Amino acid sequence: MSDFAELSVEGKKYQLPIVVGTEAEKALDINKLRDESGYITIDSGYKNTGATKSAITFLDGEKGILNYRGYSIEDLAAKATFLEVAYLLIYGELPTTEQYAEFEGAIRRHTIVNEGVRTIFEGFPVNSHPMATLSSLVSSLSAFYPDSYEGKDNSDRHIIRLLAKLPTIASWSYKRAMGHPMNYPKNDLDYCSNFLHMMFSLPVEKYEVDPVVASALNTLLILHADHEQNCSTSTVRLVGSSQANLYSSISAGISALWGPLHGGANQEVIEMLEAIKADGGDVSKYIDMAKNAKTTGFRLFGFGHRVYKNFDPRAKIIKKAADEVLAKLGVNDPVLEIAKGLEEAALNDEYFVARKLYPNVDFYSGIIYRALGIPTNMFTVMFAIGRLPGWIAQWKEMRAAKEPIGRPRQIYTGATLREFVPIENR
Ligand code: CMC
């Protein structure tokens, strides 16, 4: 294969270097295109634009492959702990026993959150969406750790702090909404069990973490841990490229994740399934509405993906896990049957087949979260806890590579130069 592609425009030829990744993905390098030709490229939604080279996650949307640092998601979900995966994403290799003990121990020691953060909660309305409080309070951490923005190189300490404190803050946002006392972390518990303790234990009764619940949570967090250059991760990299500190970059990622087309879809899915159930459970009516999205404005949440055009490997694992978890916990959720019916109807419908629309990771995750006792408006927060190591890894990679500030161009389509008219003459 040639090392260059040739672009011909206005009678002139330009050579664009070809870049090939370790999994044989191909790109045209247009770094010098504007300088040499005066042209830029337009790619709304960045459907064809590679924003960076990255060694963290490989994703093949046609074959349904997702690997973190070369390890398949199937293998990791079955065999690893979430913190092992976090270490792998952030530092590039699975930890040795000693490395894991040090990493996990450091996270255990930093779970407590400054009491000042706790008092900020009091200013929020009780019914605040937990994603609103989460992004605000993660951003507020930079005020508590000013060395994060004063140019001092302490990023690893901030990484540990974020991983340790996010579950604490997340659980407090739930407790605030419930009007219940906030729990402090218990550092003798592992990462997932500690989060469950902070979410569900009450001073008035004994709470014991169910290992089935902790294990299901571990799997869900691993499945969400990274997904290369998606909307929230690109946001984290873009904000971080201005050399904004880690806390504010992650806070921006949390805001991007909240949208219903991204992480917010998991809340939308359950609300949609509930609505179908309340409407008598006729899935075909909703399939028809989705097929006429242009007039109804209705989309099947949990369906479709920008990159996966065959199946989402995470969805396969989650669907199986949903069956297992519900059976182990003895939960009979009628919404699971509606979800299965909807999936079957969509997979056999020409509209969905032609557009390669398959269930994505969010289609079944809400059903498991519900079985674990997590309230619907916390689903996207759970996604954020899972995605945190990926955001951190991508932020760290971008900073280590000294990537330039992100600054896309545009083609201007507004008015051309005109004379100012004083207000009385308009
Ligand atoms: N229901 C019905 N029609 C759909 C759906 C859907 N969920 N998704 C896409 N389409 C149609 C869309 O109307 C368009 O049809 P046409 O060609 O006739 O105009 C075609 O499929 C292509 O859609 P698109 O919007 O151009 O595709 P995209 O790659 O820009 O969007 C998506 C990807 C995930 C935003 C979209 O599929 C969607 O809105 N899905 C529902 C929201 C959702 O579940 N999001 C979670 C994604 S997975 C979690 C994560 O990582 O964020």
Side-chain angles (χ1 to χ4, degrees):
M1 195 173 82
S2 157
D3 292 343
F4 293 93
E6 211 162 61
L7 172 76
S8 171
V9 57
E10 292 179 24
K12 284 196 189 148
K13 291 199 162 113
Y14 302 93
Q15 289 196 319
L16 307 176
I18 290 178
V19 179
V20 183
T22 50
E23 293 276 5
E25 292 169 297
K26 300 184 288 269
L28 303 179
D29 179 345
I30 57 161
N31 266 296
K32 297 199 175 130
L33 182 64
R34 186 173 179 279
D35 281 351
E36 291 178 357
S37 70
Y39 277 77
I40 62 165
T41 55
I42 291 250
D43 183 18
S44 56
Y46 310 116
K47 291 187 179 182
N48 306 285
T49 296
T52 188
K53 292 181 199 162
S54 175
I56 300 171
T57 289
F58 171 65
L59 200 168
D60 183 326
E62 273 70 40
K63 294 192 186 126
I65 295 174
L66 174 61
N67 298 340
Y68 299 159
R69 303 275 190 192
Y71 296 97
S72 79
I73 192 68
E74 289 81 7
D75 222 9
L76 291 169
K79 297 173 190 160
T81 67
F82 174 61
L83 288 188
E84 269 179 291
V85 171
Y87 188 98
L88 171 71
L89 287 167
I90 296 168
Y91 298 109
E93 295 295 338
L94 285 167
T96 61
T97 311
E98 292 74 32
Q99 287 166 335
Y100 187 66
E102 196 186 327
F103 180 65
E104 207 250 2
I107 291 170
R108 277 181 201 246
R109 278 193 305 280
H110 284 85
T111 51
I112 203 111
V113 173
N114 192 300
E115 284 295 296
V117 175
R118 220 165 84 97
T119 60
I120 301 175
F121 270 102
E122 281 156 29
F124 283 103
V126 171
N127 59 357
S128 308
H129 194 287
M131 283 298 276
T133 44
L134 192 74
S135 65
S136 310
L137 291 168
V138 166
S139 182
S140 83
L141 289 179
S142 51
F144 290 88
Y145 303 108
D147 56 359
S148 66
Y149 61 81
E150 285 171 356
K152 297 185 188 140
D153 187 16
N154 280 322
S155 59
D156 273 26
R157 253 195 319 143
H158 299 300
I159 287 171
I160 295 292
R161 282 190 183 126
L162 255 177
L163 287 166
K165 295 180 201 309
L166 196 72
T168 311
I169 294 174
S171 73
W172 285 358
S173 61
Y174 168 62
K175 289 293 194 191
R176 168 84 184 141
M178 293 293 287
H180 289 169
M182 291 168 180
N183 286 324
Y184 286 98
K186 271 189 176 174
N187 288 357
D188 56 331
L189 294 174
D190 64 67
Y191 197 77
C192 291
S193 304
N194 204 2
F195 175 69
L196 292 167
H197 145 72
M198 289 187 283
M199 282 286 290
F200 298 120
S201 101
L202 289 167
V204 289
E205 62 191 31
K206 196 168 158 53
Y207 173 78
E208 281 200 22
V209 176
D210 181 338
V212 172
V213 174
S215 160
L217 180 58
N218 183 63
T219 308
L220 284 164
L221 296 184
I222 290 174
L223 293 178
H224 284 96
D226 196 46
H227 214 233
E228 50 118 295
Q229 309 310 316
N230 56 81
C231 176
S232 57
T233 302
S234 300
T235 301
V236 169
R237 287 186 85 123
L238 188 61
V239 173
S241 78
S242 74
Q243 307 215 340
N245 68 73
L246 183 63
Y247 302 106
S248 28
S249 305
I250 299 291
S251 164
I254 293 171
S255 301
L257 185 75
W258 191 6
L261 297 189
H262 190 11
N266 55 13
Q267 175 172 346
E268 301 284 341
V269 170
I270 283 288
E271 287 170 0
M272 175 187 77
L273 294 173
E274 282 290 0
I276 298 175
K277 185 170 139 255
D279 196 19
D282 176 11
V283 294
S284 60
K285 176 175 164 190
Y286 288 82
I287 295 271
D288 285 343
M289 274 162 64
K291 283 160 71 173
N292 295 305
K294 295 208 170 57
T295 44
T296 59
F298 176 79
R299 282 195 166 201
L300 272 195
F301 281 97
F303 264 79
H305 199 276
R306 170 60 61 78
V307 184
Y308 294 121
K309 299 297 173 197
N310 189 350
F311 65 92
D312 179 340
R314 304 167 300 173
K316 269 198 171 177
I317 300 172
I318 286 197
K319 184 180 180 184
K320 192 161 161 272
D323 276 332
E324 285 168 10
V325 169
L326 266 62
K328 276 190 199 158
L329 296 176
V331 174
N332 180 16
D333 191 339
V335 149
L336 179 63
E337 286 317 307
I338 292 185
K340 286 184 174 169
L342 195 62
E343 177 184 352
E344 201 189 327
L347 293 184
N348 288 308
D349 190 290
E350 184 45 34
Y351 173 92
F352 291 86
V353 174
R355 287 166 183 75
K356 302 188 175 188
L357 299 171
Y358 298 88
N360 59 48
V361 68
D362 285 334
F363 194 62
Y364 285 102
S365 67
I367 291 173
I368 307 191
Y369 282 134
R370 211 151 84 137
L372 305 188
I374 311 276
T376 312
N377 68 357
M378 281 289 288
F379 291 175
T380 316
V381 171
M382 304 307 297
F383 193 155
I385 297 174
R387 184 55 54 87
L388 181 63
W391 287 333
I392 293 172
Q394 301 269 354
W395 186 91
K396 193 169 151 64
E397 181 182 67
M398 180 267 308
R399 293 291 273 263
K402 299 198 176 1
E403 284 186 8
I405 186 167
R407 206 297 187 188
R409 287 194 176 258
Q410 63 165 23
I411 293 294
Y412 176 68
T413 59
T416 51
L417 187 63
R418 43 188 175 160
E419 212 166 301
F420 179 80
V421 181
I423 194 160
E424 59 278 11
N425 297 342
R426 278 175 229 158

